[in-house]
Amino acid sequence: MSTTTSSSPVHAQPVARPGRPVLDPATGAVVRTVPDSSLAEVDAAVARAGAAFLDGPWPSLTRTARGRLLLRAADTIEAAAEDLYRLETRNNGRPVTETRAQLSRVPEWFRYNAGLLAAQRDAVLPSDGPYLTYQRRAPLGVCGIITPFNHPLLILARSLSAALATGNTVVVKPSETTPLSTLAMAELLADAGIPDGVVNVVTGGREVGERLTGHPDIAKITLTGGTEAGRAAAVATAHRFARVTAELGGKTPIVVFDDIDPVAAAEGAAFAAFVAAGQSCVAGSRFLVQRASYDRFVTALAKRADAIRIGDPSDPATQLGPMVSAAQRDKVLALIEAGRAEGARVAAGGGVPELPAPFDGGFFVRPTVLADATMAMRVAREEIFGPVAVVVPFDDEADAIAKANDNRFGLGAGVWTRDLARGHRVADRIRAGMVWVNDHHRLEPSLPWGGIKESGTGRDAGTESFDDFTWLKTVVVRTAADDVDWYGSAAPGRLN
């Protein structure tokens, strides 16, 4: 397994070249430097993965043996959990309480896909006549996994565990801003016994991702990122008919009906807007609130936002960390100002917090509530990817559904109501890949994850992801004792 950013094996000396600084977004300080992989090194990583697939033991291992290694990987990751929590917190700025809650679940994905592997059955299909027809699933080959900065390890585990369980080899490209925990996990997988060449990591920016996506020997790309990156990946893979699973942007509507206590709904749904500092594709950035509850909801949400504790992500008392970069912070602040200019009212936040050194050098944005917004405003239509909740009133159920669907994205949605019939009814009519009722952002390894419209294509997690890392072969076996002679006197009477 190669876990370096050079084309050398893991124990070889890395090639000396300038590195890309990896920052602590809470302080702006450099944590370490990581070299950008050259395009030749990307090609070498794909070649290593290809050799491991064609000549290595991984695809030909028995299901039991491969599953046992996946379970050992889960145990190894779990044993290193505390170090992973703190490394990821320092690299992407999520509060350690959030990171611990999220990463403690990473081993579940490996165990789940090991379980699917053990339970996998080959289908026997009905056939007329003396035939036994069955299907087999085979691994695709070398798969590329491109992960984002916001949830590096969880999103990696979601795809990697399924790819490995089904016998593929992989090349992983983490975000150039948050590569550290991915490099650490690759080393843990090597420690668990995953063979050399099965998992390879390349680091760098856009050029590295484009090389991987367009590589002729990559059979499938799984990408989590922006819509334009997903569009480019779809075009690149289409040229060679490779598969692509893309989880892209979102503008998640949170629909709050007036049959629920608006204060309770605001306190519960605040998690949707502000978890991960809003840097999530399913962040609840569009709150659609029924008019009878609107004012009380805005007041309660603003109060909750103002009370969120901002600061050192490594402190368990901290509830909200920084943006991942200065560029991301500046983008969020610019969109807040655009909302203000269009007439939205800043009910909470709206700027940067005052923090002591060294956190005064971090990329923080205060939790912000933009009230009295309309669906025509940029802040109600564009993905902000920051701790900003835009609140828009609606009149009735039909109006709520129309406003919820009035967007180019379709990844997630939330519905808050005490009328469970209404909850089911509205969830059924919202055009999104994931809908939560009276909660948000809950996920399990068994739940397919993905969107529609410009939120992407395909699904991660669940049996859907497991199966999509394989191709299906149908085998037809003639079981009759007599010979086949189509052109003889006893020619068959049927041809399909």
Side-chain angles (χ1 to χ4, degrees), residues 292-310:
S293 298
Y294 186 84
D295 290 340
R296 290 182 64 202
F297 180 90
V298 169
T299 299
L301 184 62
K303 181 179 179 181
R304 175 61 79 192
D306 284 337
I308 290 175
R309 295 187 295 275
I310 310 169

Side-chain angles (χ1 to χ4, degrees), residues 134-184:
Y134 61 91
Q135 290 181 320
R136 301 291 301 272
R137 288 194 173 273
L140 298 175
V142 182
C143 299
I145 301 175
I146 300 175
T147 59
F149 67 78
N150 54 343
H151 313 301
L153 281 193
L154 184 70
I155 289 175
L156 173 60
R158 202 166 60 190
S159 298
L160 179 62
S161 58
L164 295 181
T166 47
N168 299 280
T169 58
V170 299
V171 179
V172 179
K173 193 207 89 70
S175 166
E176 63 271 28
T177 58
T178 57
L180 301 185
S181 58
T182 297
L183 292 168

Side-chain angles (χ1 to χ4, degrees), residues 53-322:
F53 182 77
L54 293 174
D55 304 321
W58 186 252
S60 59
L61 285 177
T62 65
R63 294 180 184 181
T64 299
R66 199 183 310 137
R68 186 179 296 120
L69 283 171
L70 288 173
L71 293 174
R72 187 185 301 164
D75 292 343
T76 303
I77 294 166
E78 198 165 61
E82 192 63 34
D83 290 339
L84 290 175
Y85 304 154
R86 298 196 175 279
L87 180 62
E88 184 137 304
T89 286
R90 192 171 186 204
N91 196 179
N92 77 350
R94 281 191 81 171
V96 71
T97 50
E98 285 185 14
T99 305
R100 180 178 285 110
Q102 183 181 81
L103 297 196
S104 64
R105 305 202 64 192
V106 164
E108 293 179 29
W109 263 260
F110 287 87
R111 291 170 181 142
Y112 172 77
N113 281 289
L116 288 183
L117 179 63
Q120 187 182 40
R121 293 184 176 183
D122 295 325
V124 176
L125 307 179
S127 295
D128 290 338
Y131 297 97
L132 172 65
T133 303
Y134 61 91
Q135 290 181 320
R136 301 291 301 272
R137 288 194 173 273
L140 298 175
V142 182
C143 299
I145 301 175
I146 300 175
T147 59
F149 67 78
N150 54 343
H151 313 301
L153 281 193
L154 184 70
I155 289 175
L156 173 60
R158 202 166 60 190
S159 298
L160 179 62
S161 58
L164 295 181
T166 47
N168 299 280
T169 58
V170 299
V171 179
V172 179
K173 193 207 89 70
S175 166
E176 63 271 28
T177 58
T178 57
L180 301 185
S181 58
T182 297
L183 292 168
M185 189 161 91
E187 294 288 356
L188 292 173
L189 294 176
D191 293 343
I194 304 298
D196 187 64
V198 173
V199 177
N200 306 271
V201 178
V202 293
T203 55
R206 177 178 174 180
E207 296 80 5
V208 173
E210 289 176 346
R211 185 69 159 212
L212 184 61
T213 302
H215 200 287
D217 295 330
I218 293 289
K220 175 178 176 175
I221 286 287
T222 298
L223 176 147
T224 302
T227 297
E228 291 311 311
R231 204 185 310 278
V235 171
T237 52
H239 282 295
R240 63 182 187 278
F241 301 103
R243 297 188 189 182
V244 60
T245 295
E247 184 212 314
L248 308 176
K251 190 65 178 174
T252 297
I254 307 295
V255 181
V256 181
F257 287 96
D258 62 9
D259 58 28
I260 193 169
D261 177 5
V263 176
E267 292 175 348
F271 172 82
F274 304 128
V275 68
Q279 297 173 113
S280 172
C281 294
V282 292
S285 58
R286 270 195 302 155
F287 284 81
L288 309 176
V289 183
Q290 201 157 11
R291 290 189 189 276
S293 298
Y294 186 84
D295 290 340
R296 290 182 64 202
F297 180 90
V298 169
T299 299
L301 184 62
K303 181 179 179 181
R304 175 61 79 192
D306 284 337
I308 290 175
R309 295 187 295 275
I310 310 169
D312 179 2
S314 67
D315 184 347
T318 295
Q319 296 175 316
L320 187 134

Side-chain angles (χ1 to χ4, degrees), residues 381-406:
R381 306 199 69 78
E382 295 182 15
E383 186 175 38
I384 298 175
F385 227 65
V388 182
V390 179
V391 194
V392 178
F394 71 84
D395 295 316
D396 55 22
E397 188 174 306
D399 188 34
I401 293 167
K403 283 183 166 72
N405 290 332
D406 182 17

